Amino acid sequence: MLAVDRFSELACAMKLSKALPACCLLLLTVLLAFALPGMADGFVKIALKKRPLNQNGRLVARFSRGVTGVLAARKYGLFRSRLRIGLDGPKGPDGPDGPDGPSDPNDGNVVSLENYMNAQYFGEIGIGSPPQNFTVAFDTGSSNLWVPSSKCYFSVACYFHANYKSGQSSTYQKNGISANIRYGTGSISGFFSQDYVTIGDIVIKDQAFIEATKEPSMTFSAAKFDGILGLGFKEISVGNARPVWYNIVNQSLVKEPIFSFWFNQNANESEGGEVVFGGTDPQHYKGEHTYVSVTQKGYWQFDMEDVLVDGLTTGFCSGGCSAIADSGTSLIAGPTTVIAEINQKIGGDGILSQQCKAVVTQYGEKIIHMLTAKEEPAMICSLIGVCTFGGTQGVSLLIKSVVDNKLENLSSSISDAMCSYCQMTVIWMQNQLIVNQTLEQIMNYADELCERLPSPMGESAVDCNRLSSMPIVSFSIGGRNFDLKPEQYILKVGSGGYEQCISGFTAIDMSQGPLWILGDTFMRVYHTVFDYGHLRVGFAEAA
């Protein structure tokens, strides 16, 4: 999920480059509520169930995974770390049953999942012989399996969750190598062990996993899950441990090297969805999947062509963007520039950024004149002195007069923020010039966007009564537009007089370039296939 920042290391969350905390992604955890035995070899199904979201559930979501020792997760929150992903990895042969694997759902393994009000999904696995049961998050944004250890003595979280007892398993093998995973709101540490893992009706032999002996964060105390089962690539596996999915494929436990997710869009139904290992369930999608190649192994990362609001391009992804399909992230995370514009259009109420408004006031008209004079947009903020030439560091002498002329010293973080706001303003104003807005209209528009910048925790509230007037937001992937309607990208929290609507879009900025994290807000609408054999991701309308 991520993310979880997770999005200098990515985990939700990854570290925002030179920006104040701007995002927090709700945790999408996939729990195995019960496993349905497969009717035939080659495929495992995991079904989903649903529960309502509350404030505690939202808090639990705020953590992320890092890479290479830090779980970079967007699912549990947005980390602020840099994305570091390997480029190489295994590639399996083409399957005889076509890109979607077995056409008969009974040919694979299906695991049932329980959904916590479209924000957390839970599932059950077994570890050891006989199996000791644990609820876990099935997370495509990380690659390790970890659960609490019976040797966890001093962390409150361990007393509220199931603990693994190695002495009760006849297939346990000692490893003992230490392991640490850092999250946005805490961390876990422990050591590696090895044992059999049961998912549905398949048994994975000799699986390396982490026994967590320290879970200091209150996040884990309130979590609905015991641990996490990562479904990402080995390149981001802490300790270089072979992920569970790799062993499933290598031990020939499924017919096809693919797995797929379906999330039930109706939050009031008990069935939350399903994860299918080894194939897809045709009952849960319509038409054909649109596939895009994995461009960087680690997360399930691919290229995305554009982001549109009511059919009009936002202009930020015109040169292409990278995206990650992340089952562990509840929301959709994207660059602050675009998220602020989207939230403005849907009426999202974020925090007031004085620095952003100062840039608009001080430099807005100059930016408009330079754009009209056909100056290169990417160079404008450098030419007016807010950013260094071709860089992102602000010039303190000029910025000083914008923020407060009495300040003698400004921190580099403020300088960097001013440069970022200037670059955002250029894009916003360029988009308005394209549709022939007046100078006054453009200035007012940019000023309003500053008002809509996401809060430090990344959430933006909207009026529940305005859903019918909100625009359609679309993602262009593989030459196809994937539309999200307001009722699909808005999360409703609480009930009755306490109901609140939350924007499904949150901000994340990566120094490597525009990155989007398509969490379960997107995956609920579009059935998602993770094709390990062909190194690609596929999307089709969910049924």
Side-chain angles (χ1 to χ4, degrees):
M1 156 291 0
L2 330 178
V4 73
D5 151 294
R6 135 156 159 357
F7 288 52
S8 240
E9 297 162 324
L10 173 83
C12 201
M14 300 160 233
K15 178 169 190 173
L16 296 183
S17 74
K18 307 181 176 69
L20 298 175
C23 48
C24 154
L25 292 180
L26 293 177
L27 165 60
L28 162 67
T29 48
V30 195
L31 276 189
L32 180 50
F34 53 87
L36 301 178
M39 300 295 291
D41 292 337
F43 159 133
V44 176
K45 277 189 180 180
I46 302 179
L48 307 169
K49 295 183 180 177
K50 302 203 168 203
R51 290 183 187 171
L53 175 68
N54 60 19
Q55 294 296 329
N56 291 334
R58 291 163 64 193
L59 176 63
V60 170
R62 293 167 181 168
F63 71 85
S64 329
R65 333 173 255 292
V67 195
T68 59
V70 180
L71 242 166
R74 297 130 319 285
K75 337 74 218 301
Y76 319 117
L78 257 186
F79 251 151
R80 312 252 192 233
S81 52
R82 297 195 181 181
L83 180 62
R84 298 171 56 191
I85 301 177
L87 299 177
D88 301 318
K91 183 176 181 180
D94 294 349
D97 293 299
D100 289 340
S103 59
D104 182 355
N106 292 329
D107 287 340
N109 295 285
V110 182
V111 183
S112 301
L113 301 175
E114 183 173 330
N115 173 22
Y116 188 65
M117 174 77 174
N118 289 343
Q120 298 181 22
Y121 292 83
F122 310 90
E124 187 176 273
I125 65 171
I127 301 179
S129 303
Q132 301 172 39
N133 294 332
F134 299 91
T135 53
V136 297
F138 288 90
D139 177 15
T140 60
S142 68
S143 299
N144 289 89
L145 168 62
W146 68 262
V147 296
S149 172
S150 61
K151 299 177 177 64
C152 179
Y153 304 118
F154 304 109
S155 295
V156 173
C158 293
Y159 290 93
F160 289 98
H161 295 96
N163 293 174
Y164 171 75
K165 302 174 179 65
S166 59
Q168 296 182 8
S169 173
S170 62
T171 48
Y172 162 76
Q173 296 182 50
K174 183 178 180 179
N175 180 306
I177 297 176
S178 62
N180 298 279
I181 301 178
R182 181 184 293 277
Y183 297 91
T185 57
S187 62
I188 65 122
S189 60
F191 57 89
F192 279 101
S193 290
Q194 189 169 297
D195 210 332
Y196 285 17
V197 173
T198 303
I199 301 179
D201 61 345
I202 64 173
V203 178
I204 302 100
K205 298 179 180 178
D206 304 325
Q207 175 64 50
F209 67 99
I210 299 171
E211 289 192 50
T213 56
K214 292 183 180 179
E215 299 182 37
S217 173
M218 287 304 295
T219 296
F220 300 111
S221 299
K224 298 289 183 179
F225 58 91
D226 300 319
I228 297 172
L229 192 158
L231 291 169
F233 292 92
K234 188 177 180 181
E235 281 76 1
I236 59 171
S237 176
V238 172
N240 201 36
R242 185 179 293 275
V244 172
W245 171 244
Y246 280 49
N247 281 333
I248 289 177
V249 174
N250 293 342
Q251 295 176 23
S252 301
L253 300 176
V254 291
K255 180 183 289 187
E256 294 297 320
I258 68 174
F259 57 91
S260 57
F261 278 80
W262 168 71
F263 297 130
N264 192 339
Q265 298 183 53
N266 190 337
N268 297 318
E269 293 182 4
S270 60
E271 184 182 18
E274 69 181 19
V275 179
V276 180
F277 290 100
T280 62
D281 187 342
Q283 298 182 61
H284 293 313
Y285 60 88
K286 304 174 183 177
E288 300 294 326
H289 287 83
T290 296
Y291 284 93
V292 286
S293 298
V294 171
T295 56
Q296 199 165 353
K297 291 175 61 179
Y299 304 99
W300 289 86
Q301 183 173 333
F302 53 89
D303 288 336
M304 183 168 68
E305 293 94 39
D306 204 353
V307 179
L308 306 97
V309 179
D310 262 350
L312 299 177
T313 180
T314 56
F316 196 71
C317 264
S318 57
C321 290
S322 293
I324 294 169
D326 190 348
S327 65
T329 300
S330 293
L331 305 184
I332 294 173
T336 301
T337 304
V338 186
I339 296 300
E341 190 164 358
I342 292 175
N343 282 335
Q344 184 273 334
K345 293 182 183 301
I346 68 177
D349 187 14
I351 63 168
L352 172 66
S353 171
Q354 294 295 342
Q355 293 92 340
C356 179
K357 294 174 73 68
V359 167
V360 173
T361 301
Q362 183 79 4
Y363 298 111
E365 292 189 19
K366 182 179 294 186
I367 290 173
I368 293 173
H369 291 316
M370 294 177 77
L371 286 170
T372 304
K374 306 300 182 181
E375 290 285 357
E376 179 63 35
M379 301 304 300
I380 288 178
C381 293
S382 297
L383 293 174
I384 63 178
V386 178
C387 302
T388 55
F389 184 80
T392 57
Q393 186 175 12
V395 180
S396 61
L397 290 177
L398 290 177
I399 296 176
K400 184 190 303 184
S401 63
V402 177
V403 182
D404 187 341
N405 57 19
K406 295 181 181 180
L407 293 178
E408 296 296 330
N409 297 300
L410 294 177
S411 70
S412 61
S413 63
I414 293 179
S415 298
D416 293 341
M418 295 296 286
C419 177
S420 296
Y421 294 142
C422 178
Q423 292 169 337
M424 291 181 192
T425 301
V426 170
I427 293 174
W428 294 337
M429 292 181 168
Q430 183 182 27
N431 288 339
Q432 292 300 294
L433 282 172
I434 291 174
V435 293
N436 298 318
Q437 296 295 297
T438 67
L439 186 148
E440 182 180 3
Q441 288 173 323
I442 295 173
M443 292 289 288
N444 290 338
Y445 180 76
D447 193 69
E448 185 176 357
L449 286 180
C450 287
E451 297 270 5
R452 302 296 184 180
L453 285 173
S455 66
M457 293 309 296
E459 295 178 351
S460 293
V462 299
D463 185 350
C464 295
N465 296 317
R466 294 190 61 249
L467 264 65
S468 61
S469 63
M470 293 181 187
I472 291 176
V473 178
S474 306
F475 297 87
S476 182
I477 302 170
R480 172 185 170 188
N481 284 348
F482 292 84
D483 299 336
L484 294 180
K485 301 175 183 177
E487 61 268 24
Q488 295 170 329
Y489 61 69
I490 296 297
L491 276 70
K492 290 188 176 181
V493 179
S495 60
Y498 298 97
E499 187 174 69
Q500 182 181 13
C501 288
I502 302 297
S503 168
F505 302 100
T506 191
I508 177 174
D509 296 291
M510 300 297 296
S511 59
Q512 293 86 342
L515 175 71
W516 288 82
I517 299 165
L518 305 185
D520 77 308
T521 295
F522 183 87
M523 290 174 62
R524 271 196 303 275
V525 184
Y526 295 101
H527 180 274
T528 307
V529 175
F530 297 86
D531 189 341
Y532 177 76
H534 296 85
L535 287 181
R536 60 183 183 171
V537 183
F539 303 101
E541 183 181 355

